[in-house]
Short mmCIF file of all heavy atoms in Angstrom, two decimals:
data_model
loop_
_atom_site.label_atom_id
_atom_site.label_comp_id
_atom_site.label_asym_id
_atom_site.label_seq_id
_atom_site.Cartn_x
_atom_site.Cartn_y
_atom_site.Cartn_z
N GLY A 199 8.84 3.60 9.36
CA GLY A 199 7.46 3.19 9.18
C GLY A 199 6.52 4.36 8.99
O GLY A 199 5.59 4.29 8.17
N LEU A 200 6.75 5.44 9.73
CA LEU A 200 5.91 6.63 9.58
C LEU A 200 6.08 7.25 8.19
O LEU A 200 5.12 7.73 7.59
CB LEU A 200 6.24 7.65 10.66
CG LEU A 200 5.70 7.33 12.06
CD1 LEU A 200 6.28 8.31 13.09
CD2 LEU A 200 4.17 7.38 12.09
N VAL A 201 7.31 7.26 7.69
CA VAL A 201 7.55 7.76 6.33
C VAL A 201 6.82 6.87 5.33
O VAL A 201 6.20 7.36 4.38
CB VAL A 201 9.05 7.82 6.03
CG1 VAL A 201 9.29 8.18 4.56
CG2 VAL A 201 9.73 8.85 6.93
N GLY A 202 6.89 5.56 5.54
CA GLY A 202 6.17 4.64 4.67
C GLY A 202 4.67 4.89 4.70
O GLY A 202 4.00 4.87 3.66
N ALA A 203 4.12 5.15 5.90
CA ALA A 203 2.69 5.44 6.02
C ALA A 203 2.33 6.75 5.30
O ALA A 203 1.27 6.85 4.67
CB ALA A 203 2.30 5.53 7.49
N ALA A 204 3.22 7.75 5.39
CA ALA A 204 2.99 9.02 4.68
C ALA A 204 2.97 8.80 3.17
O ALA A 204 2.18 9.43 2.46
CB ALA A 204 4.07 10.03 5.06
N LEU A 205 3.81 7.89 2.69
CA LEU A 205 3.83 7.60 1.26
C LEU A 205 2.56 6.89 0.81
O LEU A 205 2.14 7.03 -0.34
CB LEU A 205 5.06 6.75 0.90
CG LEU A 205 6.41 7.45 1.05
CD1 LEU A 205 7.55 6.52 0.61
CD2 LEU A 205 6.46 8.74 0.24
N VAL A 206 1.94 6.11 1.70
CA VAL A 206 0.65 5.50 1.37
C VAL A 206 -0.36 6.58 1.04
O VAL A 206 -1.07 6.51 0.02
CB VAL A 206 0.14 4.64 2.55
CG1 VAL A 206 -1.28 4.14 2.26
CG2 VAL A 206 1.06 3.45 2.81
N VAL A 207 -0.43 7.60 1.89
CA VAL A 207 -1.38 8.69 1.68
C VAL A 207 -1.02 9.48 0.42
O VAL A 207 -1.88 9.78 -0.41
CB VAL A 207 -1.40 9.63 2.91
CG1 VAL A 207 -2.33 10.82 2.67
CG2 VAL A 207 -1.83 8.86 4.16
N LEU A 208 0.27 9.81 0.29
CA LEU A 208 0.72 10.64 -0.84
C LEU A 208 0.49 9.96 -2.18
O LEU A 208 -0.04 10.58 -3.12
CB LEU A 208 2.20 10.96 -0.67
CG LEU A 208 2.85 11.80 -1.78
CD1 LEU A 208 2.22 13.18 -1.84
CD2 LEU A 208 4.36 11.89 -1.56
N PHE A 209 0.86 8.69 -2.29
CA PHE A 209 0.82 8.02 -3.59
C PHE A 209 -0.53 7.39 -3.91
O PHE A 209 -0.77 6.99 -5.06
CB PHE A 209 1.93 6.98 -3.68
CG PHE A 209 3.31 7.58 -3.73
CD1 PHE A 209 4.36 7.00 -3.03
CD2 PHE A 209 3.57 8.72 -4.46
CE1 PHE A 209 5.63 7.55 -3.07
CE2 PHE A 209 4.83 9.29 -4.51
CZ PHE A 209 5.87 8.69 -3.81
N SER A 210 -1.40 7.26 -2.92
CA SER A 210 -2.76 6.79 -3.22
C SER A 210 -3.70 7.95 -3.51
O SER A 210 -4.76 7.76 -4.11
CB SER A 210 -3.30 5.96 -2.05
OG SER A 210 -3.43 6.74 -0.88
N ALA A 211 -3.32 9.16 -3.10
CA ALA A 211 -4.17 10.33 -3.30
C ALA A 211 -4.51 10.61 -4.77
O ALA A 211 -5.67 10.96 -5.07
CB ALA A 211 -3.53 11.56 -2.66
N PRO A 212 -3.55 10.50 -5.71
CA PRO A 212 -3.90 10.81 -7.10
C PRO A 212 -5.06 10.00 -7.65
O PRO A 212 -5.88 10.53 -8.42
CB PRO A 212 -2.60 10.50 -7.86
CG PRO A 212 -1.52 10.73 -6.85
CD PRO A 212 -2.10 10.24 -5.57
N ARG A 213 -5.16 8.71 -7.27
CA ARG A 213 -6.26 7.88 -7.75
C ARG A 213 -7.61 8.41 -7.26
O ARG A 213 -8.61 8.35 -7.98
CB ARG A 213 -6.08 6.44 -7.27
CG ARG A 213 -4.80 5.75 -7.73
CD ARG A 213 -4.78 5.53 -9.23
NE ARG A 213 -3.82 4.52 -9.63
CZ ARG A 213 -2.54 4.75 -9.92
NH1 ARG A 213 -2.07 5.99 -9.84
NH2 ARG A 213 -1.75 3.77 -10.30
N ILE A 214 -7.62 8.92 -6.04
CA ILE A 214 -8.87 9.47 -5.48
C ILE A 214 -9.17 10.83 -6.09
O ILE A 214 -10.30 11.11 -6.49
CB ILE A 214 -8.75 9.58 -3.94
CG1 ILE A 214 -8.56 8.18 -3.32
CG2 ILE A 214 -9.99 10.25 -3.36
CD1 ILE A 214 -8.24 8.22 -1.85
N LEU A 215 -8.15 11.69 -6.18
CA LEU A 215 -8.35 13.04 -6.71
C LEU A 215 -8.75 13.02 -8.18
O LEU A 215 -9.47 13.90 -8.65
CB LEU A 215 -7.07 13.85 -6.52
CG LEU A 215 -6.66 14.13 -5.07
CD1 LEU A 215 -5.28 14.77 -5.02
CD2 LEU A 215 -7.70 15.02 -4.39
N GLY A 216 -8.26 12.02 -8.92
CA GLY A 216 -8.62 11.92 -10.33
C GLY A 216 -9.94 11.22 -10.56
O GLY A 216 -10.44 11.20 -11.70
N GLY A 217 -10.50 10.60 -9.52
CA GLY A 217 -11.79 9.94 -9.65
C GLY A 217 -11.73 8.50 -10.12
O GLY A 217 -12.77 7.89 -10.39
N ALA A 218 -10.53 7.92 -10.19
CA ALA A 218 -10.41 6.53 -10.60
C ALA A 218 -10.74 5.57 -9.46
O ALA A 218 -10.97 4.39 -9.68
CB ALA A 218 -9.01 6.25 -11.14
N HIS A 219 -10.71 6.09 -8.24
CA HIS A 219 -11.05 5.28 -7.06
C HIS A 219 -11.91 6.09 -6.11
O HIS A 219 -11.74 7.31 -5.98
CB HIS A 219 -9.79 4.83 -6.32
CG HIS A 219 -9.08 3.69 -6.96
ND1 HIS A 219 -9.53 2.39 -6.89
CD2 HIS A 219 -7.94 3.64 -7.70
CE1 HIS A 219 -8.69 1.60 -7.55
NE2 HIS A 219 -7.73 2.34 -8.05
N TRP A 220 -12.80 5.39 -5.43
CA TRP A 220 -13.50 5.96 -4.30
C TRP A 220 -12.54 6.00 -3.11
O TRP A 220 -11.61 5.22 -3.02
CB TRP A 220 -14.72 5.12 -3.92
CG TRP A 220 -15.74 4.95 -4.99
CD1 TRP A 220 -15.82 3.93 -5.89
CD2 TRP A 220 -16.87 5.79 -5.26
NE1 TRP A 220 -16.90 4.09 -6.71
CE2 TRP A 220 -17.57 5.22 -6.34
CE3 TRP A 220 -17.36 6.96 -4.68
CZ2 TRP A 220 -18.73 5.78 -6.86
CZ3 TRP A 220 -18.51 7.53 -5.19
CH2 TRP A 220 -19.20 6.94 -6.27
N PHE A 221 -12.81 6.88 -2.16
CA PHE A 221 -12.03 6.93 -0.93
C PHE A 221 -12.04 5.57 -0.23
O PHE A 221 -11.03 5.08 0.27
CB PHE A 221 -12.58 8.02 -0.01
CG PHE A 221 -11.86 8.15 1.30
CD1 PHE A 221 -10.69 8.87 1.40
CD2 PHE A 221 -12.37 7.55 2.46
CE1 PHE A 221 -10.02 9.00 2.62
CE2 PHE A 221 -11.72 7.68 3.67
CZ PHE A 221 -10.54 8.40 3.75
N SER A 222 -13.21 4.92 -0.20
CA SER A 222 -13.35 3.64 0.51
C SER A 222 -12.62 2.50 -0.19
O SER A 222 -12.32 1.48 0.45
CB SER A 222 -14.83 3.28 0.67
OG SER A 222 -15.44 3.06 -0.59
N ASP A 223 -12.33 2.62 -1.48
CA ASP A 223 -11.58 1.57 -2.17
C ASP A 223 -10.24 1.33 -1.48
O ASP A 223 -9.76 0.19 -1.38
CB ASP A 223 -11.32 1.96 -3.63
CG ASP A 223 -12.60 1.97 -4.45
OD1 ASP A 223 -13.59 1.34 -4.03
OD2 ASP A 223 -12.59 2.62 -5.51
N ILE A 224 -9.64 2.42 -1.01
CA ILE A 224 -8.32 2.35 -0.40
C ILE A 224 -8.41 2.27 1.11
O ILE A 224 -7.83 1.37 1.75
CB ILE A 224 -7.47 3.55 -0.83
CG1 ILE A 224 -7.24 3.50 -2.34
CG2 ILE A 224 -6.13 3.58 -0.08
CD1 ILE A 224 -6.75 4.77 -2.95
N TYR A 225 -9.17 3.18 1.72
CA TYR A 225 -9.16 3.29 3.18
C TYR A 225 -10.21 2.43 3.86
O TYR A 225 -10.31 2.44 5.08
CB TYR A 225 -9.27 4.75 3.58
CG TYR A 225 -8.03 5.50 3.16
CD1 TYR A 225 -8.04 6.33 2.03
CD2 TYR A 225 -6.83 5.32 3.83
CE1 TYR A 225 -6.89 6.99 1.62
CE2 TYR A 225 -5.68 5.97 3.43
CZ TYR A 225 -5.71 6.79 2.32
OH TYR A 225 -4.56 7.43 1.91
N PHE A 226 -10.99 1.70 3.09
CA PHE A 226 -11.74 0.58 3.63
C PHE A 226 -11.25 -0.73 3.02
O PHE A 226 -10.75 -1.60 3.72
CB PHE A 226 -13.25 0.70 3.41
CG PHE A 226 -13.93 -0.64 3.48
CD1 PHE A 226 -13.95 -1.35 4.67
CD2 PHE A 226 -14.50 -1.21 2.35
CE1 PHE A 226 -14.53 -2.62 4.72
CE2 PHE A 226 -15.09 -2.46 2.40
CZ PHE A 226 -15.11 -3.17 3.59
#
Side-chain angles (χ1 to χ4, degrees):
L200 284 171
V201 173
L205 292 182
V206 173
V207 177
L208 178 64
F209 292 140
S210 63
R213 300 294 199 272
I214 298 172
L215 295 172
H219 282 284
W220 301 92
F221 179 82
S222 64
D223 292 340
I224 297 165
Y225 294 103
F226 158 65

